[in-house]
Amino acid sequence: KPVSYKDQANELPQFKESFPDFKTVHSQILQDVLKRLDKSFQHFFRRVKQGDTPGYPRFKGKERFHSISYPQSGFSVTGSRIYLSGIGKVRVRVHRDITRAMQIKTCTIKKSGNHWYGILSVELQSAPVPKKVVTNPVGIDLGLSTFATISNGEIIDNPRYLRHSEKKLALIQAAYALRKTKAFKRKMTTLHQKIANQRYDFLHKESTKLVNRFDLIAFEDLSIKNMAQRCKPVQTEGGGFASNGQTAKSGLNKSIYDAGWGKFIAMLIYKAESAGSYAIAVNPYNTSQICSGCGTIVKKTLKKRQHDCPVCGRSVDRDLNASYNILRLGTDRVKEGFA
């Protein structure tokens, strides 16, 4: 028998009578938790129908629940203080000024690492930014040896923040595994948060530089989720399993997530939209194999880092050749009106 959000929301008054502590929690927070639960199960059943890996929703205990939301009311902001119903006035560091033109819609209180954040969603009335005339286009090829190769010949180095902190992280994790104290858990959380902050800072700075310099940025439409999938098991005749290369693949997957390609692309898209520039995703098929000079397909393994065309004689770095092809595909898409 299915249980809907409405069914559970109607049971909240009775629930509060059985558990009086929840009377101190704003009603909209409780309703929002039920909405999250309902969404989780809706997505679960959608994945079942589509034949995807279902991923049954996991119970979230107090150690895994990191945010609460006020969807409509129960909060207000005055100067450097925010009032939260059921909690009271809390002093905050305001990162962005809130003007009268902003209509605050929701407030989410979130714990990230050892810090608390108040996230306000606001509605702004603004006209769409007109698109610029394309005079300075560029193509970028994302990678791991270098974070990105740009079609103008520039290279953005890969900072590898997680890789550089692995030894320190391993020591803290080993100490926490032995003693299970809050102090070591706090150290581990702080280091993870520092790595995430470094990565976000790097991605924001590099994406802003590109949007400020170029009016068209073409990039590969990468399926990062598929790229980071586990290798299929290889079963032997005796019923056991042979090596399938998953150990090496796990290291590659870690490097992919450490690079943060998905977040970087998302930043490019919304920043380009605000600046009136183009951020165009192109089909990544054969961008590394096609010769950017004559269009001949030149097959090469991942280990071969140089593109040498036997037809036109073009000899360039493999990633730079790919960036040329990405730029061509991106400009063609703009000319065709994103067909």
Side-chain angles (χ1 to χ4, degrees):
K1 180 181 177 180
V3 180
S4 68
Y5 159 75
K6 188 176 180 181
D7 294 332
Q8 290 190 303
N10 290 336
E11 292 177 358
L12 277 178
Q14 183 182 348
F15 178 78
K16 289 181 180 179
E17 293 300 324
S18 302
F19 301 91
D21 286 348
F22 283 89
K23 290 182 180 180
T24 61
V25 182
H26 195 273
S27 59
Q28 287 203 352
I29 292 178
L30 299 177
Q31 292 168 11
D32 182 71
V33 173
L34 295 179
K35 286 179 181 177
R36 294 188 198 182
L37 179 64
D38 189 52
K39 282 183 181 179
S40 296
F41 276 97
Q42 285 179 11
H43 291 311
F44 166 72
F45 287 116
R46 173 183 55 79
R47 291 191 292 270
V48 171
K49 289 180 180 179
Q50 292 177 348
D52 299 335
T53 304
Y56 191 82
R58 178 176 177 176
F59 171 74
K60 282 195 174 183
K62 64 179 182 179
E63 294 296 327
R64 292 179 57 84
F65 206 91
H66 303 299
S67 66
I68 59 173
S69 292
Y70 295 83
Q72 293 175 328
S73 60
F75 66 92
S76 61
V77 182
T78 307
S80 62
R81 295 189 182 275
I82 183 170
Y83 169 77
L84 304 170
S85 178
I87 298 174
K89 288 186 177 181
V90 181
R91 186 176 165 188
V92 293
R93 294 180 182 177
V94 181
H95 293 182
R96 299 184 186 180
D97 293 331
I98 301 168
T99 64
R100 292 183 179 180
M102 295 181 178
Q103 184 179 356
I104 302 175
K105 307 296 285 187
T106 65
C107 175
T108 299
I109 306 301
K110 178 181 177 181
K111 186 180 183 184
S112 180
N114 296 319
H115 302 278
W116 289 89
Y117 296 91
I119 304 165
L120 302 176
S121 300
V122 301
E123 184 176 331
L124 295 174
Q125 300 296 331
S126 59
V129 180
K131 290 295 185 183
K132 298 176 182 177
V133 177
V134 178
T135 58
N136 191 18
V138 74
I140 58 173
D141 179 62
L142 299 176
L144 294 177
S145 56
T146 59
F147 178 78
T149 301
I150 308 175
S151 57
N152 63 359
E154 295 178 17
I155 289 175
I156 302 174
D157 292 326
N158 189 353
R160 297 182 177 87
Y161 293 115
L162 177 60
R163 291 293 188 185
H164 291 161
S165 300
E166 275 186 321
K167 288 184 179 179
K168 188 175 181 180
L169 189 60
L171 291 172
I172 298 173
Q173 287 174 333
Y176 176 68
L178 286 173
R179 302 176 191 177
K180 298 287 185 183
T181 61
K182 288 185 177 180
F184 282 111
K185 184 178 181 180
R186 193 178 299 111
K187 284 183 179 180
M188 188 166 58
T189 304
T190 301
L191 183 54
H192 274 296
Q193 188 65 45
K194 179 182 178 181
I195 295 168
N197 289 342
Q198 288 175 320
R199 186 182 297 119
Y200 276 120
D201 181 66
F202 167 76
L203 297 177
H204 270 298
K205 286 178 178 177
E206 295 303 328
S207 58
T208 300
K209 287 177 187 176
L210 288 171
V211 171
N212 288 341
R213 291 177 60 192
F214 305 105
D215 41 41
L216 187 154
I217 304 167
F219 55 88
E220 291 177 306
D221 188 11
L222 300 173
S223 178
I224 298 168
K225 182 179 178 181
N226 291 338
M227 292 173 67
Q229 280 185 341
R230 291 181 62 85
C231 298
K232 292 183 179 180
V234 178
Q235 196 163 9
T236 61
E237 294 180 357
F241 292 93
S243 175
N244 63 349
Q246 181 55 44
T247 302
K249 185 68 167 62
S250 297
L252 178 64
N253 292 349
K254 184 186 289 187
S255 296
I256 290 173
Y257 287 121
D258 189 20
W261 292 340
K263 293 182 178 66
F264 180 70
I265 289 170
M267 290 176 184
L268 279 180
I269 292 172
Y270 80 73
K271 290 179 182 181
E273 185 71 25
S274 300
S277 302
Y278 293 92
I280 309 295
V282 303
N283 189 344
Y285 182 70
N286 269 348
T287 52
S288 296
Q289 310 293 339
I290 297 174
C291 176
S292 56
C294 63
T296 303
I297 294 180
V298 184
K299 292 291 184 182
K300 41 191 165 305
T301 62
L302 285 173
K303 291 182 179 179
K304 186 171 176 57
R305 306 311 303 170
Q306 187 74 10
H307 168 80
D308 297 306
C309 181
V311 178
C312 68
R314 185 159 203 169
S315 180
V316 293
D317 179 79
R318 173 199 182 105
D319 295 335
L320 185 58
N321 176 71
S323 68
Y324 291 151
N325 289 322
I326 293 167
L327 172 59
R328 174 179 52 80
L329 292 171
T331 52
D332 287 347
R333 283 201 65 197
V334 172
K335 291 175 183 177
E336 295 165 3
F338 300 94

